[in-house]
Amino acid sequence: MKIGRNDPCWCGCGRKYKQCHEAFDRKIESFAREGHIVPSHDIIKSPEQIAGIRESAKINMACLDAVAENIRPGMSTQEIDDIVVDVTRKMGGIAAPLNYDGFPKSVCTSVNDQVCHGIPSKNVILQEGDIVNVDCSTILDGYYSDSSRMFLIGEVSPEKKKLVQVAKECVDLGLKEVKPWGFMGDIGAVILEHAAANGYTVVREIGGHGCGLEFHEDPWIGYHTKRGEEMLLVPGMTFTIEPMINAGTQSIYTDQENGWEVYTLDGEPSAQWEYQVLVTETGVEILTY
Ligand code: MF3
Ligand code: CO
């Protein structure tokens, strides 16, 4: 399907193609000709869509702020779910995880050697010394936001504290690589390097994703990547950076009883932070953290 230069632009701005995204598309095509993976139009967000994602993101971050204020030893992970349900509802949103592919709760709570997709339960009581990832995903007016944070429960060992800290540094380093006409592989490369420099591993099978119009959109974002490779970054793309950093082996397994909860194979702890970002004309905007 070829757009004429005088046809309306595909982005929906109402202007002619030649006055809007034509030069942009030519630039993308030149990267494609050089053999790069390039984004399709359907994952490039319009200003209106970006505004919608920003509103969704406000609820998403408010949920995690409320969790941060209330999380403490002796609390069940179900109570974290209750907080997320409550804040999301009061702000007019919908929790994306509930019933997503059959997920039974409204947020993921992953403790210690749980890598991700931990299912909140009244039987899981947070103990002094635990590290917990709370992964919150929100829908507002059809727009998706997604982020996660680590929480330290009471006094935590120096080893676990360092893991949580380095996992955060990994995301912050990845963030610095996000710029228009850069590459997704640049993000993974710095993350893998920083994790390895600290003696940690990065989970291979699960990664980040495009996010905004759907919960999980293209591209899938792994962290075992090289600079200058993987998908080209262009303004208007929105995606998550969410590497799972393991203290021990990178190997993981999924609990076959519930089909969701992912653990490290060696029982060593894992940590993850997740930001959702927008590629802008000049660099990056953090949408959620
Ligand atoms: N929030 C997770 C992510 O960051 C996805 C969880 S899927 C769910 O991509 F069903 F468990 F919610
Ligand atoms: Co995500």
Side-chain angles (χ1 to χ4, degrees):
M1 235 188 31
K2 190 120 175 57
I3 312 176
R5 299 192 65 226
N6 290 311
D7 290 343
C9 187
W10 53 262
C11 78
C13 66
R15 282 184 296 169
K16 290 180 179 181
Y17 183 46
K18 66 182 180 190
Q19 287 154 357
C20 190
H21 274 95
E22 189 191 22
F24 175 87
D25 281 348
R26 293 290 99 82
K27 191 162 176 179
I28 291 177
E29 281 162 19
S30 75
F31 279 95
R33 274 196 302 277
E34 288 166 21
H36 290 289
I37 304 165
V38 300
S40 62
H41 288 162
D42 56 353
I43 61 165
I44 299 169
K45 278 75 178 179
S46 68
E48 186 194 344
Q49 290 168 335
I50 291 164
I53 298 167
R54 284 197 194 102
E55 289 305 307
S56 177
K58 284 182 191 164
I59 303 177
N60 185 264
M61 291 186 282
C63 287
L64 290 178
D65 289 345
V67 170
E69 274 171 33
N70 290 286
I71 200 164
R72 58 186 155 68
M75 184 186 209
S76 75
T77 53
Q78 177 58 48
E79 288 173 74
I80 296 174
D81 194 86
D82 295 343
I83 291 169
V84 170
V85 167
D86 188 52
V87 173
T88 303
R89 189 182 48 78
K90 283 190 177 133
M91 294 180 76
I94 299 167
L98 187 63
N99 299 323
Y100 175 81
D101 267 355
F103 190 78
K105 295 284 175 173
S106 295
V107 65
C108 298
T109 52
S110 305
V111 184
N112 297 329
D113 63 327
Q114 274 184 332
V115 173
C116 64
H117 304 162
I119 301 172
S121 164
K122 63 178 177 12
N123 299 321
V124 177
I125 308 297
L126 299 178
Q127 313 282 341
E128 181 100 10
D130 284 345
I131 58 170
V132 190
N133 172 272
V134 179
D135 189 341
C136 186
S137 313
T138 312
I139 316 170
L140 178 69
D141 299 332
Y143 295 110
Y144 287 77
S145 52
D146 192 7
S147 70
S148 80
R149 299 182 200 165
M150 293 299 295
F151 296 99
L152 306 177
I153 307 303
E155 268 308 307
V156 169
S157 71
E159 291 80 11
K160 279 180 172 172
K161 246 187 209 165
K162 186 184 168 204
L163 176 68
V164 169
Q165 177 60 33
V166 171
K168 178 80 158 46
E169 290 165 6
C170 283
V171 177
D172 288 333
L173 287 168
L175 191 68
K176 286 192 188 160
E177 300 298 319
V178 182
K179 46 179 124 25
W181 319 109
F183 296 94
M184 213 53 107
D186 304 347
I187 302 170
V190 293
I191 288 174
L192 188 62
E193 271 168 25
H194 190 63
N198 284 279
Y200 300 142
T201 59
V202 183
V203 171
R204 205 178 255 283
E205 297 89 336
I206 314 173
H209 50 95
C211 183
L213 308 183
E214 305 282 347
F215 193 170
H216 296 108
E217 306 172 346
D218 278 347
W220 181 79
I221 302 160
Y223 306 99
H224 292 258
T225 58
K226 295 199 182 85
R227 286 191 172 75
E229 296 189 355
E230 308 302 325
M231 191 177 278
L232 176 72
L233 302 177
V234 309
M237 287 171 73
T238 55
F239 57 88
T240 69
I241 305 177
E242 51 173 316
M244 296 157 197
I245 310 297
N246 292 354
T249 176
Q250 68 169 40
S251 302
I252 56 173
Y253 71 92
T254 304
D255 183 333
Q256 292 305 306
E257 301 262 297
N258 57 49
W260 277 105
E261 296 183 305
V262 178
Y263 292 83
T264 59
L265 192 60
D266 59 6
E268 292 294 318
S270 182
Q272 178 189 30
W273 297 78
E274 175 179 19
Y275 298 173
Q276 183 179 0
V277 301
L278 164 71
V279 183
T280 66
E281 296 291 337
T282 51
V284 62
E285 176 183 325
I286 302 173
L287 295 167
T288 63
Y289 58 88

